Amino acid sequence: MAVNGADPLAPPKAERWRIDDILRHAQAGRLQVPVFQRSFLWGKDDVRNLFDSIYRGYPVGSLLIWRTRPAPHAEARFGPFLFAASEHESLLLIDGQQRATSLVATMLGAGERDQRFNVFFNLKL
């Protein structure tokens, strides 16, 4: 059965997302960490190192996303944030949860709730 009219046997396609695309999809409840994924494990140093790599232009890997029908649960969790799940489609994060959660939680200001995301980066050094 096709999702959104797509051919289920079509080869996967690559899309480029900017950080603000990841934030927008997460806040809209479309980008979701599926329940079968392990918990968020990164510490503050891992989160800081991700931002250092992005700043330096180093490769930080890709995200593997499964576009599907809306998930049956009513919320999408990214670190300490809960967003209402989208009723239109789900973008299930199959690989890249540690990176995506770090980006979403840090950029949306979760540092007050969870010290792992309380990251400061001095661009002048």
Side-chain angles (χ1 to χ4, degrees), residues 3-120:
V3 176
N4 298 332
D7 176 4
L9 300 176
K13 71 175 189 172
E15 295 178 18
R16 279 188 88 142
W17 282 9
R18 298 168 43 96
I19 291 173
D20 61 327
D21 295 325
I22 295 169
L23 299 175
R24 183 173 36 84
H25 286 303
Q27 287 181 294
R30 285 187 295 276
L31 186 60
Q32 302 170 19
V33 177
V35 295
F36 56 80
Q37 284 286 7
R38 66 182 177 161
S39 299
F40 182 77
L41 301 174
W42 275 13
K44 188 173 184 173
D45 289 343
D46 299 308
V47 175
R48 185 198 63 232
N49 289 339
L50 172 66
F51 280 89
D52 182 60
S53 292
I54 291 169
Y55 171 73
R56 295 174 189 275
Y58 296 161
V60 294
S62 59
L63 304 178
L64 180 59
I65 296 172
W66 177 19
R67 189 179 303 262
T68 185
R69 291 188 203 112
H73 48 73
E75 58 193 23
R77 176 178 295 278
F78 279 89
F81 288 113
L82 286 176
F83 303 110
S86 171
E87 296 179 13
H88 304 290
E89 72 175 348
S90 291
L91 304 171
L92 298 183
L93 194 53
I94 305 302
D95 184 51
Q97 181 214 158
Q98 307 298 314
R99 288 168 280 142
T101 297
S102 296
L103 288 170
V104 170
T106 301
M107 298 298 289
L108 296 181
E112 293 178 11
R113 298 182 201 170
D114 187 326
Q115 286 300 305
R116 293 177 293 186
F117 307 115
N118 193 11
V119 176
F120 295 94

